[in-house]
Amino acid sequence: MAAERGARRLRGTSSFWLCCLLLLGRRAPGAVAAKSGSPPQSPGSSVRTFTPFYFLVEPEDTLSVRGSSVMLNCSAYSEPSPKIEWKKDGAFLNLVSDDRRQLLSDGSLFISNVVHSKHNKPDEGYYQCVATVESLGTIVSRTAKLTVAGLPRFSSQPEPSSVYAGNSAILNCEVNVDLVPFVRWEQNRQPLLLDDRVITLPSGTLVISNATEGDGGLYRCIVESGGPPKYSDEAELKVLPDPEVTSNLVFLKQPSSLIRVTGQNAVLPCVAAGLPAPAVRWVRNEQALDTGSSEKLVLLAGGSLEISDVTEDDAGTYLCIADNGNETIEAPAELSVQAQPEFLKQPTNIYAHESMDIVFECEVTGKPTPTVKWVKNGDMVIPSDYFKIVKEHNLQVLGLVKSDEGFYQCIAENDVGNVQAGAQLIILEHDVAIPTLPPTSLTSATTDHLAPATTGPLPSAPRDVVASLVSTRFIKLTWRTPASDPHGDNLTYSVFYTKEGIARERVENTSHPGEMQVTIQNLMPATVYIFRVMAQNKHGSGDSSAPLRVETQPEVQLPGPAPNIRAYATSPTSITITWETPLSGNGEIQNYKLYYMEKGADKEQDVDVSSHSHTINGLKKYTEYSFRVVAYNKHGPGVSTQDVAVQTLSDVPSAAPQNLSLEVRNSKNIMIHWQPPAPATQNGQITGYKIRYRKASRKSDVTETLVAGTQLSQLIEGLDRGTEYNFRVAALTVNGTGPATDWLSAETFESDLDETRVPEVPSSLHVRPLVTSIVVSWTPPENQNIVVRGYAIGYGIGSPHAQTIKVDYKQRYYTIENLDPSSHYVITLKAFNNVGEGIPLYESAVTRPHADTSEVDLFVINAPYTPVPDPTPMMPPVGVQASILSHDTVRITWADNSLPKHQKITDSRYYTVRWKTNIPANTKYKNANATTLSYLVTGLKPNTLYEFSVMVTKGRRSSTWSMTAHGTTFELVPTSPPKDVTVVSKEGKPRTIIVNWQPPSEANGKITGYIIYYSTDVNAEIHDWVIEPVVGNRLTHQIQELTLDTPYYFKIQARNSKGMGPMSEAVQFRTPKASGSAGKGSRLPDIGSDYRPPMSGSNSPHGSPTSPLDGNVLLAIIVSVGVITIVVVVIIAVFCTKRTSSHQKKKRAACKSVNGSHKYKGNSKDVKPPDLWIHHERLELKPIDKSPDPNPIMTDTPIPRNSQDITPVDNSMDSNIHQRRNSYRGHESEDSMSTLAGRRGMRPKMMMPFDSQPPQQSVRNTPSTDTMPASSSQTCCTDHQDPEGATSSSYLASSQEEDSGQSLPTAHVRPSHPLKSFAVPAVPPPGPPSYDPALPSTPLLSQQALNHHIHSVKTASIGTLGRSRPPMPVVVPSAPEMQETTRMLEDSESSCEPDELTKEMAHLEGLMKDLNAITTA
């Protein structure tokens, strides 16, 4: 034991030093995050720690010139100090014998006298610093590029030029990109000073803006790159005076596309010249740039744009705009921004054991997207069966061996640069436990069994290891427990396996203790594997089983996928598919099966093919189809190809445009409206419409016009006055013109109408009152030369301004509906146009009374000059029918009795269709015009009742609306998920949750059920989630037997007759934690939140476990006390029942009231209320223990304050609980009442209904100073106490008494008021008793002080979670004074005469009826 304690102490010291080293080892930004696995270690520690080993400085890209010296910096940190070496272009440099290159003491590389020529470039290249610590490992730095500028060469030189004063000029001097920093300019052989007016561009070009006479002279550029300077040709610049004439704008220098790296500056050159001198501005992505107030954007001399510190947001298309007031010219340029690689997640250090699988994680970003490679101890990691790149950038090492230990670096590189980050892998011995929790980089197969081991016996080898299932790519192993532990409930197992002949082993662990099987996945077919199994207990790993040699099955010889599958359309109704023979046919290909499916369809079709191509005919025009091919050999179908999609060719439309209508605008213009052909008949993309029109009198002279495909109306202008025209429209695709509509006629006006003023007053207004409606008809203003856009109808009782309705200018009738009978309405009519409303015309009418059904003539008040309406109004359409076509489309058809029998329309009439739904009630009508006897209404809501009516218009005459037709659109699958999904834990049942939700806002039909999905993994595939179906339209559901302290995710999906809707968003809920252990194989009783378990086990006060004997003794004491208590209660009860009947009468009479009235006043001292201890024996709560609290909170009544305060009944009684019972159950007759009163001390029973919703308000009493002792249960007005927990008939159809062992914790209430004891405890669920702290468990305090009375409304509540009803108020009479009540209870000498008792019974019976009336109200 002493040795063990010493080892523990050393391990604790080791953990302390480990934390210190981890804090000291934090690396600098950009450094390698690797730490060594060697000393320092704590004395006696067996775990190596990670020691810092990283780069302090890494080399950077450098530009040099020939003959100069270069310093490439590098410095690494480690203990001990590392050895630094350098690589150039991947090969180590031998710096010992190199005269020009030497390694400095800090690790930097110094190159003196850089050599560079056309054929000899020994110094230019890529350099990398390598740091090595013996017995620790190697790390490499980022790669740095050394560029040596070449010999100066001019690609363009300055040329003689001239410039007008005030304009801009440029002088070119373009050299190698590497030499641009070494370029300078001279004017007249003197250095040129640069300023805001004279600048050089990044290319070396000189820009002079706002030229003056002093800018004239000879210019040349010089390149000084270390050797002798290189001069360009001299060129003269002449500055000419302003000629004061205009000249065209030209670009002297246009912007060109540019690529920059984030953080660099970008200059977009733009220089323009002209007279007058232009001003230059810039636009990016069609937005003007503000260069005046921006620090980031600067306008350079001549108009060039400089962008400082570019970011990826600066990328885009820039437009240089030069404008001199007379002319504008533009030149675009594209700026692309690249970004160096950056780490989003760097590798972390890992401890592991041999045979484990590990993953080094590495996430990078950059532009272009970086490539990632891995380096181990300075050498490139080549992917293999055991070193794999997973998730694009992560390195997975399978089956670790000791040689895998070392430093691993992730190197990310793109065109802009490269970065590196690394981590260290330490492989511990199997008997050394990993000192920390498993890092996230361990794979799921090896994250178990990482707890520190303790000393003790180890298990022997597992027995009878066999391969119970062998497949091509997986093997299932089973075994028996070791002989040393035949039960093996606490054992876990590790299965080690490897390919035969390979030394590297892999491991797979069982998922939970006691499991004795595992399935090894991802094996190779026809390959021999060696397996062995080891058992682990809390002390460590035991012996290994004997090796088991198993060979996987060979792969079934099925064909592979057919390569190069292609599909192309050959006509509007046919598609040809071709493919080639599978590369792995595995025998002779017998035939192929070609599968195809229309896009959006749910059923696939197939055809057998024997060749490598096939043409499918009879397809829909301009429709997309998907195709795939499966090859068959003698073994069956092979692997399917990927789907290929192709669309059939387009064709001319097969139907004419829909709903053509004409609108005469004036004497020369007619507006044409139409809708596209039905989608199934368009046969392609509609590219336009062809409109043909002609005069009705000259049918051979046809005019044609074309409009775009997105246009659905066209104004035809330049027509003749007062002339009838015929119109028709046809749709076009790229293939040609489809069929045209029938000819439709309209006549232009004789004269143009005026809209510079409001319309005049309508010429007549005619009203026809009915019972609840008034039919209004009118004629247009007499002056018809003013445009009328519509009419405004105002109406109201006594005033026309209550309601206003606007109708179309063509309309001449309107029915005002939903009016009050026998009411005087004032009606006004005004014509309006775009200028405003005209002069109103007033009428008034009285609606008919309800009893008047006669067809009386028009009733008009004060309208002697009302003109009569048109004697021949248009007849409304008849036979309106609504045919439901789909969930959003209805076809409306009708007949027109004013047409000939063949119902052929030959004139210019048209029809107006209107429709609406009554939900919501204030929905407005929608209208559409049609020129045929049918109309297709689209865009409707699914499963919605609509009403439709039709009106006909011819010229300026219109009919009234037709009779209404109704139609309900078809259902559609729900298009929105259920709303307001909430999850709560069920009170007292931590393993049960309740899911609540609301129906989807777009149910699109009657909801027939819901499906609840739940899972512990929110990212799992949906088919892996557990499903709970809910039938009907219920909005709550219970899910039981969940795992404690576990996060669950819930989704809900609604369904109707058409299918399933979308799923709701996942809602997370964590189940409560377990509150203790109930022993093996048992469930813990539900205990309230205030319960505190006794100290036991490791939580005992002395830190030692409590022996099982102590627990048994404690249990025996509790049981003994309970039995003794029950025996005492029974003895007292028997003693009470044997009292004399006269004495009982005295006790009862002391509690009765001598007043026969059923109304009680609290301030009347002479009035005593009758005792209403209704079902007292069943309703009063009984105490089973005493609370140590000396002053508990006082409640007015033991009725619980919320729905969780009473234990709910079992599920079989839910339906009874939730039903309201407002009547007596079998005890209403006088005989039964008398019998019951005799047996229960003259206390007739009354059944009280209780609702399931918690009370809206808790009524509480002020605590009193004197408490009632527990023995008060034996005072006056109490018979023997019924120990049985029972329930009232509001729970059960008949009174049912439960076993005393099922009783609830109860409390006595001093009966100071007839209704103070109304409490209805629920039937407790079967099983151990539940302790609910919300129920009072101590004797309640006495009532309030003297002369203080309570007048309140009580609400009874029984907690039934998941259902709710409004509470039922119960009016309670005021309590008598406390002094009087106490005296009445304690006076055992008072008695009541028999006639008084009979009178009291009559009073009691009357009161019961009153109370029943209250409860049933």
Side-chain angles (χ1 to χ4, degrees):
M1 290 298 290
E4 182 179 350
R5 283 195 298 270
R8 289 180 179 175
R9 191 177 300 111
L10 288 175
R11 279 197 294 272
T13 306
S14 173
S15 299
F16 169 78
W17 283 107
L18 174 62
C19 294
C20 295
L21 288 171
L22 290 176
L23 290 173
L24 290 173
R26 293 194 178 277
R27 60 185 181 278
V32 178
K35 322 234 170 153
S36 77
S38 61
Q41 297 179 23
S42 303
S45 173
S46 58
V47 178
R48 292 176 294 153
T49 59
F50 299 112
T51 304
F53 183 22
Y54 53 86
F55 285 103
L56 296 171
V57 180
E58 295 184 79
E60 300 289 339
D61 294 348
T62 305
L63 173 64
S64 180
V65 295
R66 183 177 55 176
S68 64
S69 59
V70 174
M71 176 80 74
L72 296 176
N73 295 315
C74 179
S75 177
Y77 173 81
S78 178
E79 291 293 341
S81 298
K83 172 187 176 184
I84 302 295
E85 298 176 285
W86 282 87
K87 282 184 178 181
K88 176 181 179 292
D89 298 331
F92 281 101
L93 292 176
N94 184 7
L95 303 178
V96 177
S97 58
D98 198 322
D99 296 334
R100 293 187 303 107
R101 293 180 285 204
Q102 56 180 314
L103 183 66
L104 302 183
S105 59
D106 65 347
S108 300
L109 178 65
F110 179 75
I111 304 176
S112 60
N113 190 19
V114 172
V115 175
H116 191 82
S117 64
K118 182 176 181 180
H119 301 291
N120 184 24
K121 304 176 181 179
D123 296 331
E124 192 172 62
Y126 294 90
Y127 288 81
Q128 192 174 38
C129 179
V130 182
T132 304
V133 175
E134 291 297 332
S135 73
L136 184 61
T138 300
I139 57 176
V140 296
S141 72
R142 69 178 298 275
T143 302
K145 181 181 180 181
L146 173 60
T147 304
V148 181
L151 298 176
R153 289 187 181 86
F154 295 104
S155 55
S156 68
Q157 301 190 47
E159 297 179 354
S161 59
S162 60
V163 59
Y164 290 109
N167 252 299
S168 300
I170 66 168
L171 294 169
N172 291 319
C173 179
E174 297 183 2
V175 296
N176 314 358
V177 177
D178 301 335
L179 295 175
V180 169
F182 307 104
V183 173
R184 65 181 180 86
W185 281 87
E186 289 183 350
Q187 180 187 11
N188 298 327
R189 304 291 177 98
Q190 296 298 321
L192 179 65
L193 298 179
L194 304 179
D195 54 23
D196 293 340
R197 194 177 59 82
V198 181
I199 65 168
T200 58
L201 298 177
S203 62
T205 299
L206 179 68
V207 178
I208 302 174
S209 65
N210 194 17
T212 63
E213 291 184 5
D215 294 325
L218 296 175
Y219 287 84
R220 68 176 180 178
C221 66
I222 303 102
V223 180
E224 296 175 328
S225 58
K230 177 84 171 180
Y231 295 93
S232 72
D233 296 338
E234 279 191 322
E236 182 180 8
L237 176 65
K238 296 180 180 180
V239 181
L240 305 177
D242 188 352
E244 297 184 357
V245 296
T246 61
S247 65
N248 293 335
L249 286 181
V250 294
F251 279 114
L252 302 179
K253 187 76 173 179
Q254 292 192 29
S256 57
S257 296
L258 191 64
I259 299 177
R260 282 292 178 267
V261 180
T262 54
Q264 294 181 344
N265 293 349
V267 176
L268 296 172
C270 184
V271 182
L275 291 176
V280 174
R281 56 189 173 88
W282 286 85
V283 172
R284 180 174 77 92
N285 296 339
E286 301 182 356
Q287 291 185 348
L289 297 179
D290 181 13
T291 57
S293 59
S294 173
E295 297 181 358
K296 186 180 182 67
L297 304 174
V298 178
L299 197 62
L300 303 178
S304 298
L305 179 66
E306 182 178 27
I307 307 171
S308 305
D309 191 19
V310 298
T311 64
E312 293 188 34
D313 295 335
D314 295 323
T317 301
Y318 289 77
L319 188 65
C320 175
I321 304 175
D323 184 6
N324 65 356
N326 298 328
E327 187 182 0
T328 301
I329 56 176
E330 301 176 350
E334 187 78 19
L335 174 62
S336 301
V337 180
Q338 296 181 337
Q340 292 189 355
E342 290 185 13
F343 285 104
L344 301 178
K345 190 171 188 178
Q346 298 187 7
T348 56
N349 300 329
I350 296 177
Y351 280 116
H353 290 135
E354 285 190 275
S355 303
M356 272 188 175
D357 301 342
I358 63 167
V359 173
F360 284 109
E361 295 181 337
C362 179
E363 294 183 20
V364 295
T365 183
K367 189 175 182 180
T369 302
T371 59
V372 171
K373 61 182 179 181
W374 284 86
V375 172
K376 176 200 169 190
N377 288 334
D379 297 326
M380 185 78 67
V381 174
I382 300 175
S384 64
D385 290 343
Y386 298 97
F387 288 85
K388 298 182 178 181
I389 304 298
V390 296
K391 293 184 179 179
E392 297 184 6
H393 300 147
N394 298 340
L395 176 66
Q396 183 182 39
V397 185
L398 305 178
L400 290 175
V401 296
K402 193 67 177 177
S403 60
D404 292 332
E405 196 172 70
F407 287 90
Y408 290 79
Q409 289 177 268
C410 174
I411 300 178
E413 183 177 13
N414 63 8
D415 296 340
V416 182
N418 63 91
V419 291
Q420 61 82 25
Q424 185 183 7
L425 170 65
I426 293 180
I427 298 180
L428 304 174
E429 298 297 332
H430 276 291
D431 57 348
V432 178
I434 293 179
T436 58
L437 291 176
T440 56
S441 54
L442 291 176
T443 64
S444 59
T446 57
T447 54
D448 300 324
H449 323 310
L450 300 180
T454 57
T455 58
L458 299 176
S460 59
R463 297 173 292 174
D464 301 338
V465 179
V466 296
S468 59
L469 183 60
V470 179
S471 183
T472 56
R473 296 184 181 272
F474 70 89
I475 291 176
K476 181 178 181 181
L477 293 180
T478 58
W479 57 87
R480 291 173 54 211
T481 56
S484 61
D485 193 346
H487 294 290
D489 293 337
N490 297 320
L491 294 181
T492 57
Y493 299 88
S494 296
V495 178
F496 297 86
Y497 64 99
T498 182
K499 287 184 183 179
E500 190 175 43
I502 302 297
R504 185 183 292 270
E505 250 186 348
R506 296 185 62 190
V507 64
E508 186 80 24
N509 296 323
T510 54
S511 56
H512 55 80
E515 186 179 16
M516 290 180 290
Q517 65 178 21
V518 73
T519 300
I520 310 298
Q521 305 277 359
N522 301 320
L523 303 179
M524 298 298 295
T527 305
V528 177
Y529 289 87
I530 307 298
F531 298 89
R532 62 187 182 91
V533 184
M534 292 177 61
Q536 293 100 12
N537 59 16
K538 62 182 179 180
H539 305 298
S541 299
D543 297 334
S544 172
S545 66
L548 175 66
R549 184 178 182 275
V550 182
E551 182 176 3
T552 54
Q553 298 289 336
E555 193 81 81
V556 177
Q557 302 297 310
L558 293 174
N564 299 327
I565 179 172
R566 295 183 179 89
Y568 54 92
T570 54
S571 75
T573 59
S574 61
I575 293 177
T576 298
I577 305 92
T578 63
W579 60 90
E580 297 178 5
T581 304
L583 300 177
S584 56
N586 294 325
E588 181 184 356
I589 301 297
Q590 295 181 343
N591 72 312
Y592 299 91
K593 183 159 287 194
L594 173 62
Y595 295 88
Y596 65 97
M597 182 172 60
E598 180 184 346
K599 182 180 180 180
D602 55 359
K603 187 176 181 181
E604 202 173 33
Q605 297 177 280
D606 60 80
V607 60
D608 290 328
V609 183
S610 58
S611 61
H612 290 156
S613 65
H614 185 74
T615 300
I616 298 179
N617 299 305
L619 302 177
K620 295 181 181 179
K621 298 178 181 180
Y622 199 65
T623 303
E624 184 175 330
Y625 289 85
S626 62
F627 301 87
R628 63 185 181 92
V629 175
V630 176
Y632 281 71
N633 64 7
K634 62 181 181 180
H635 300 292
V639 181
S640 173
T641 63
Q642 295 291 328
D643 287 1
V644 293
V646 68
Q647 194 173 46
T648 52
L649 299 179
S650 61
D651 200 359
V652 297
S654 55
Q658 305 178 94
N659 299 329
L660 177 65
S661 64
L662 305 176
E663 180 184 350
V664 181
R665 290 292 180 90
N666 50 42
S667 62
K668 291 185 175 294
N669 301 336
I670 295 179
M671 176 65 77
I672 309 175
H673 297 272
W674 66 89
Q675 291 180 339
T681 62
Q682 293 181 11
N683 300 336
Q685 189 72 34
I686 298 297
T687 59
Y689 294 92
K690 182 182 293 185
I691 302 173
R692 305 182 70 188
Y693 61 96
R694 67 190 181 187
K695 292 182 180 180
S697 58
R698 301 179 61 182
K699 296 186 177 180
S700 60
D701 188 9
V702 177
T703 304
E704 213 172 71
T705 182
L706 295 176
V707 298
T710 57
Q711 190 172 332
L712 297 177
S713 64
Q714 177 67 22
L715 182 65
I716 305 298
E717 301 176 305
L719 304 178
D720 295 340
R721 297 173 183 270
T723 306
E724 184 180 2
Y725 285 86
N726 299 330
F727 297 84
R728 69 191 310 179
V729 181
L732 285 76
T733 63
V734 293
N735 304 87
T737 306
T741 62
D742 294 334
W743 289 102
L744 191 62
S745 300
E747 184 178 347
T748 56
F749 297 149
E750 288 289 345
S751 60
D752 288 329
L753 303 181
D754 179 19
E755 200 173 5
T756 61
R757 52 196 175 123
V758 298
E760 294 183 358
V761 62
S763 56
S764 71
L765 175 60
H766 195 79
V767 293
R768 179 182 178 85
L770 301 175
V771 178
T772 59
S773 62
I774 296 177
V775 179
V776 183
S777 61
W778 64 90
T779 55
E782 292 182 357
N783 184 1
Q784 298 191 8
N785 294 322
I786 303 175
V787 174
V788 176
R789 297 292 179 185
Y791 296 91
I793 304 171
Y795 65 94
I797 297 178
S799 171
H801 306 300
Q803 299 284 343
T804 300
I805 297 171
K806 290 189 175 182
V807 298
D808 192 75
Y809 76 95
K810 309 184 200 76
Q811 199 157 330
R812 299 293 180 265
Y813 292 87
Y814 185 80
T815 302
I816 305 174
E817 299 175 335
N818 299 321
L819 303 181
D820 297 331
S822 303
S823 299
H824 183 274
Y825 284 89
V826 180
I827 300 165
T828 181
L829 177 72
K830 294 178 286 187
F832 67 87
N833 57 19
N834 292 333
V835 178
E837 295 181 343
I839 301 173
L841 185 62
Y842 290 90
E843 292 291 353
S844 61
V846 177
T847 51
R848 301 177 187 176
H850 267 300
D852 187 3
T853 58
S854 62
E855 289 293 331
V856 297
D857 212 344
L858 181 65
F859 184 73
V860 180
I861 299 177
N862 297 328
Y865 302 104
T866 302
V868 179
D870 191 330
T872 58
M874 295 289 292
M875 297 178 58
V878 297
V880 181
Q881 294 184 351
S883 303
I884 312 301
L885 302 183
S886 68
H887 66 277
D888 65 348
T889 305
V890 176
R891 180 177 294 279
I892 309 300
T893 58
W894 61 88
D896 190 346
N897 286 344
S898 63
L899 290 176
K901 292 184 178 180
H902 56 74
Q903 294 284 292
K904 184 71 173 179
I905 302 173
T906 57
D907 51 20
S908 60
R909 73 179 63 199
Y910 65 92
Y911 301 89
T912 303
V913 182
R914 72 175 184 179
W915 64 91
K916 63 170 284 190
T917 177
N918 291 325
I919 302 175
N922 58 351
T923 305
K924 295 182 179 180
Y925 280 105
K926 292 185 178 181
N927 298 278
N929 293 333
T931 55
T932 60
L933 296 178
S934 67
Y935 181 77
L936 199 65
V937 183
T938 59
L940 303 179
K941 295 181 180 178
N943 193 45
T944 304
L945 174 64
Y946 284 88
E947 62 178 40
F948 305 88
S949 54
V950 186
M951 177 180 71
V952 60
T953 301
K954 181 180 179 182
R956 298 190 179 183
R957 294 191 300 147
S958 300
S959 72
T960 58
W961 290 103
S962 68
M963 298 290 289
T964 301
H966 294 83
T968 302
T969 51
F970 294 152
E971 291 188 359
L972 181 68
V973 295
T975 53
S976 67
K979 303 181 299 184
D980 303 335
V981 181
T982 58
V983 184
V984 296
S985 177
K986 187 167 184 179
E987 182 73 15
K989 292 188 178 181
R991 291 164 58 90
T992 300
I993 60 95
I994 299 172
V995 185
N996 303 297
W997 64 91
Q998 291 298 317
S1001 56
E1002 297 175 3
N1004 299 336
K1006 181 182 178 182
I1007 297 299
T1008 59
Y1010 296 89
I1011 293 182
I1012 302 176
Y1013 299 81
Y1014 64 96
S1015 171
T1016 56
D1017 182 7
V1018 71
N1019 298 316
E1021 295 292 337
I1022 196 62
H1023 55 73
D1024 293 331
W1025 290 48
V1026 183
I1027 294 177
E1028 283 275 341
V1030 179
V1031 180
N1033 56 0
R1034 287 170 44 207
L1035 300 178
T1036 183
H1037 187 71
Q1038 289 190 14
I1039 300 177
Q1040 302 176 350
E1041 300 300 325
L1042 299 182
T1043 305
L1044 294 176
D1045 194 21
T1046 302
Y1048 283 86
Y1049 298 88
F1050 298 85
K1051 296 181 180 180
I1052 304 184
Q1053 190 178 28
R1055 70 170 182 266
N1056 58 17
S1057 61
K1058 291 298 183 180
M1060 306 300 301
M1063 292 185 186
S1064 65
E1065 294 292 330
V1067 174
Q1068 182 183 7
F1069 179 80
R1070 177 179 286 274
T1071 51
K1073 295 183 179 180
S1075 57
S1077 175
K1080 182 176 179 181
S1082 66
R1083 288 188 56 185
L1084 205 72
D1086 296 327
I1087 299 177
S1089 59
D1090 295 337
Y1091 175 74
R1092 296 292 184 269
M1095 304 291 287
S1096 62
S1098 60
N1099 296 326
S1100 62
H1102 303 288
S1104 60
T1106 303
S1107 66
L1109 180 58
D1110 294 341
N1112 294 334
V1113 171
L1114 181 60
L1115 180 61
I1117 293 172
I1118 293 173
V1119 171
S1120 302
V1121 171
V1123 171
I1124 294 171
T1125 302
I1126 293 173
V1127 170
V1128 171
V1129 170
V1130 170
I1131 293 173
I1132 294 173
V1134 172
F1135 175 75
C1136 289
T1137 58
K1138 292 183 178 181
R1139 291 191 177 185
T1140 64
S1141 59
S1142 63
H1143 187 50
Q1144 290 176 351
K1145 290 180 181 179
K1146 289 181 181 180
K1147 289 194 293 180
R1148 286 194 300 272
C1151 302
K1152 302 294 184 176
S1153 170
V1154 297
N1155 194 329
S1157 175
H1158 287 189
K1159 299 179 181 179
Y1160 303 98
K1161 301 290 184 180
N1163 57 2
S1164 177
K1165 296 184 178 182
D1166 298 350
V1167 179
K1168 295 182 180 181
D1171 182 67
L1172 289 185
W1173 288 89
I1174 304 171
H1175 276 224
H1176 182 276
E1177 297 84 357
R1178 294 182 176 273
L1179 299 182
E1180 187 176 22
L1181 300 176
K1182 313 296 186 296
I1184 60 171
D1185 61 351
K1186 293 184 178 180
S1187 170
D1189 189 354
N1191 188 19
I1193 294 177
M1194 193 63 204
T1195 56
D1196 201 21
T1197 162
I1199 295 176
R1201 291 297 184 263
N1202 55 58
S1203 61
Q1204 282 79 26
D1205 290 350
I1206 292 185
T1207 307
V1209 298
D1210 57 23
N1211 294 334
S1212 65
M1213 295 159 58
D1214 280 352
S1215 60
N1216 292 332
I1217 294 174
H1218 299 150
Q1219 293 176 1
R1220 183 186 296 250
R1221 292 172 173 80
N1222 294 330
S1223 62
Y1224 300 110
R1225 292 296 184 90
H1227 299 292
E1228 294 183 5
S1229 67
E1230 188 174 331
D1231 295 341
S1232 60
M1233 189 179 301
S1234 302
T1235 304
L1236 183 63
R1239 190 174 71 251
R1240 296 294 186 185
M1242 297 298 293
R1243 294 181 190 136
K1245 290 191 177 182
M1246 187 185 76
M1247 305 308 170
M1248 185 72 177
F1250 284 78
D1251 284 339
S1252 59
Q1253 177 162 323
Q1256 302 300 315
Q1257 180 182 4
S1258 295
V1259 182
R1260 297 182 180 270
N1261 278 341
T1262 305
S1264 179
T1265 56
D1266 58 330
T1267 60
M1268 178 180 290
S1271 61
S1272 65
S1273 60
Q1274 302 302 323
T1275 60
C1276 176
C1277 296
T1278 56
D1279 278 349
H1280 65 282
Q1281 299 299 311
D1282 190 349
E1284 301 168 352
T1287 179
S1288 74
S1289 64
S1290 62
Y1291 274 72
L1292 303 175
S1294 60
S1295 298
Q1296 178 179 352
E1297 299 183 357
E1298 301 294 335
D1299 188 86
S1300 60
Q1302 301 290 334
S1303 63
L1304 285 171
T1306 57
H1308 286 338
V1309 181
R1310 195 166 188 169
S1312 61
H1313 190 280
L1315 293 182
K1316 289 297 180 183
S1317 297
F1318 253 87
V1320 185
V1323 176
S1330 62
Y1331 297 85
D1332 195 333
L1335 290 174
S1337 59
T1338 61
L1340 296 180
L1341 297 180
S1342 61
Q1343 296 297 322
Q1344 292 185 354
L1346 189 64
N1347 295 329
H1348 187 77
H1349 310 286
I1350 297 177
H1351 300 268
S1352 62
V1353 176
K1354 307 297 175 72
T1355 54
S1357 172
I1358 296 297
T1360 53
L1361 195 58
R1363 307 284 201 281
S1364 66
R1365 282 203 310 266
M1368 179 192 68
V1370 180
V1371 180
V1372 182
S1374 300
E1377 294 181 358
M1378 183 62 203
Q1379 183 180 5
E1380 177 190 11
T1381 306
T1382 307
R1383 184 175 65 251
M1384 178 181 67
L1385 292 175
E1386 294 176 353
D1387 186 7
S1388 61
E1389 298 300 323
S1390 63
S1391 62
C1392 300
E1393 294 296 328
D1395 54 343
E1396 294 176 354
L1397 190 59
T1398 305
K1399 185 185 298 185
E1400 176 58 26
M1401 285 303 301
H1403 294 165
L1404 180 61
E1405 185 174 351
L1407 181 60
M1408 290 167 57
K1409 292 180 179 179
D1410 289 350
L1411 187 57
N1412 186 41
I1414 293 173
T1415 59
T1416 56

